Amino acid sequence: MQNRDKALEIMENMKKVIIGKDEVLEKVLICLLAQGHLLIEDVPGVGKTTMVKALAKSINLSYSRIQFTTDLMPSDITGLSIYNREEGNFVLKKGPIFNQIILADEINRTSPKTQSSLLQAMEEGEVSIEDHTHELKKPFMVLATQNPLEYQGTFPLPEAQLDRFLMRISLGYPTATDEKNIIRNHYKGKKLDGVSPIANEEDILKIQAEVEEIHVDDAILQYIVGIVNTSRSHRDIHLGASPRASIDLYRSAKALAYLKGRDYVIPDDVKMMAPNVLAHRLILSPEARIEGRKVQEVTQDIIKKTYIPVVKAVEN
């Protein structure tokens, strides 16, 4: 865990521009360290784009913002081959997906065909253009935003796309005190001026490798599987979480343990990450929707019904 302090510095750096959202920033960092992708679902104007830019600037990785619209084509994201008359061959014109931090802004405003162009990149870290497959540079992370209250002109993300996101978060509105500080910072023109690169590509890869070495007891694995299995049999759930959800819960719990300074996972790590990892993957039953049940509420019920194991402390 030699590079843990560097990871904490990244979060402190982001706090300079994202005020009063420490828990949210921790989850963004967890997602990065767990080598996952993040879905940010919130109303406009709460700082989603600023947060992603602050992350990219803090870790000094290549960044691109893709504004998803109804006329956006898959080739606008992945790129395409263009014929070069002078040389008599095809030359690849890379799209924005070839960067390392991708802001997919208002992802639900484009067609399912264009949305699906992200699937291969998010799952396999590569892009197929015509007959050739191109590997994307690591670390690679997609942070997508969508407005949950706006339905006109939008295309809901299909289950296959949602399942590629390690977790879903929401910033929410700031408190009155935090909002005053946000106004002051914006008026002074600071915004991202106070954010400087404090880590690089090599640092992030080292941290991600250290996270992979975090110990997970077999009882913790059983706890993860138990939570996911309960989601599949719960009376209010029509479609439960997939095995990919189990893997993502495992990875995110390890990242949280790492940030907390432990080289092993405890049940509370799993319990804390489960709502953000599971909620966007679950589909409520028609009866539950009629009763006015919320997926967040059902997720908490699933966690409560799952037996919490007793794990012995790991001796160093």
Side-chain angles (χ1 to χ4, degrees):
M1 300 179 69
Q2 298 176 353
N3 295 282
R4 175 177 171 268
D5 289 343
K6 180 72 70 173
L8 296 176
E9 285 178 30
I10 294 171
M11 189 162 63
E12 290 300 319
N13 209 37
M14 294 174 66
K15 288 180 184 179
K16 295 176 182 178
V17 290
I18 305 299
I19 300 169
K21 298 295 177 182
D22 294 3
E23 289 185 13
V24 173
L25 295 180
E26 183 180 62
K27 288 171 183 175
V28 172
L29 187 57
I30 286 170
C31 199
L32 172 67
L33 302 191
Q35 303 178 51
H37 307 287
L38 183 66
L39 180 61
I40 309 168
E41 189 175 78
D42 223 322
V43 295
V46 293
K48 299 187 294 292
T49 302
T50 302
M51 181 177 69
V52 178
K53 286 182 178 179
L55 173 65
K57 196 171 180 181
S58 295
I59 55 183
N60 201 27
L61 299 182
S62 60
Y63 162 81
S64 67
R65 176 180 179 270
I66 307 172
Q67 181 61 57
F68 281 74
T69 57
T70 54
D71 58 350
L72 192 73
M73 300 295 292
S75 59
D76 295 327
I77 298 172
T78 60
L80 71 165
S81 295
I82 299 176
Y83 184 71
N84 188 324
R85 288 186 178 182
E86 295 179 359
E87 299 181 7
N89 59 5
F90 285 90
V91 178
L92 173 64
K93 182 181 179 182
K94 293 182 177 180
I97 197 67
F98 282 88
N99 287 285
Q100 293 171 288
I101 300 294
I102 309 295
L103 171 58
D105 213 2
E106 296 185 304
I107 190 174
N108 58 335
R109 282 198 168 277
T110 196
S111 67
K113 179 181 179 180
T114 304
Q115 289 175 7
S116 66
S117 64
L118 288 173
L119 287 176
Q120 184 184 12
M122 294 173 67
E123 182 63 22
E124 301 170 26
E126 59 186 30
V127 174
S128 295
I129 302 175
E130 296 176 2
D131 296 329
H132 300 282
T133 300
H134 306 272
E135 190 172 343
L136 299 173
K137 192 174 184 181
K138 295 181 179 179
F140 173 75
M141 183 180 185
V142 174
L143 300 99
T145 71
Q146 67 175 6
N147 181 354
L149 302 179
E150 195 169 0
Y151 299 105
Q152 189 172 357
T154 62
F155 302 86
L157 295 179
E159 285 71 35
Q161 183 83 48
L162 287 169
D163 203 30
R164 260 64 175 191
F165 289 100
L166 185 141
M167 69 173 77
R168 181 181 67 184
I169 65 169
S170 175
L171 274 76
Y173 289 115
T175 64
T177 302
D178 290 338
E179 193 159 1
K180 285 192 293 183
N181 291 328
I182 291 170
I183 294 170
R184 287 195 183 99
N185 286 347
H186 186 275
Y187 179 75
K188 292 176 181 178
K190 288 183 178 180
K191 281 193 173 181
L192 295 170
D193 293 345
V195 179
S196 56
I198 57 170
N200 54 33
E201 177 183 310
E202 185 180 354
D203 293 326
I204 300 303
L205 291 175
K206 285 180 179 178
I207 294 171
Q208 290 177 340
E210 289 178 356
V211 169
E212 290 183 354
E213 296 301 316
I214 297 296
H215 175 74
V216 181
D217 191 85
D218 191 64
I220 297 291
L221 281 177
Q222 189 59 46
Y223 183 42
I224 291 171
V225 172
I227 290 174
V228 174
N229 277 335
T230 302
S231 78
R232 298 167 186 162
S233 58
H234 196 281
R235 69 178 187 89
D236 291 330
I237 298 295
H238 174 67
L239 179 65
S242 69
R244 187 181 284 113
S246 300
I247 295 170
D248 286 349
L249 186 51
Y250 169 82
R251 290 158 60 193
S252 59
K254 289 171 72 172
L256 176 59
Y258 180 86
L259 288 182
K260 298 300 183 183
R262 283 181 273 101
D263 58 1
Y264 58 92
V265 174
I266 61 175
D268 279 352
D269 296 328
V270 177
K271 192 174 180 181
M272 186 174 295
M273 298 312 305
N276 293 103
V277 173
L278 296 182
H280 63 288
R281 307 173 195 257
L282 306 179
I283 298 179
L284 294 178
S285 66
E287 295 80 9
R289 290 199 297 269
I290 291 172
E291 293 173 6
R293 298 272 279 169
K294 302 295 182 182
V295 69
Q296 293 84 356
E297 176 188 346
V298 177
T299 303
Q300 291 294 341
D301 189 47
I302 290 169
I303 296 169
K304 288 178 182 177
K305 288 183 176 179
T306 307
Y307 170 75
I308 301 175
V310 177
V311 182
K312 293 181 180 179
V314 177
E315 295 182 4
N316 294 323

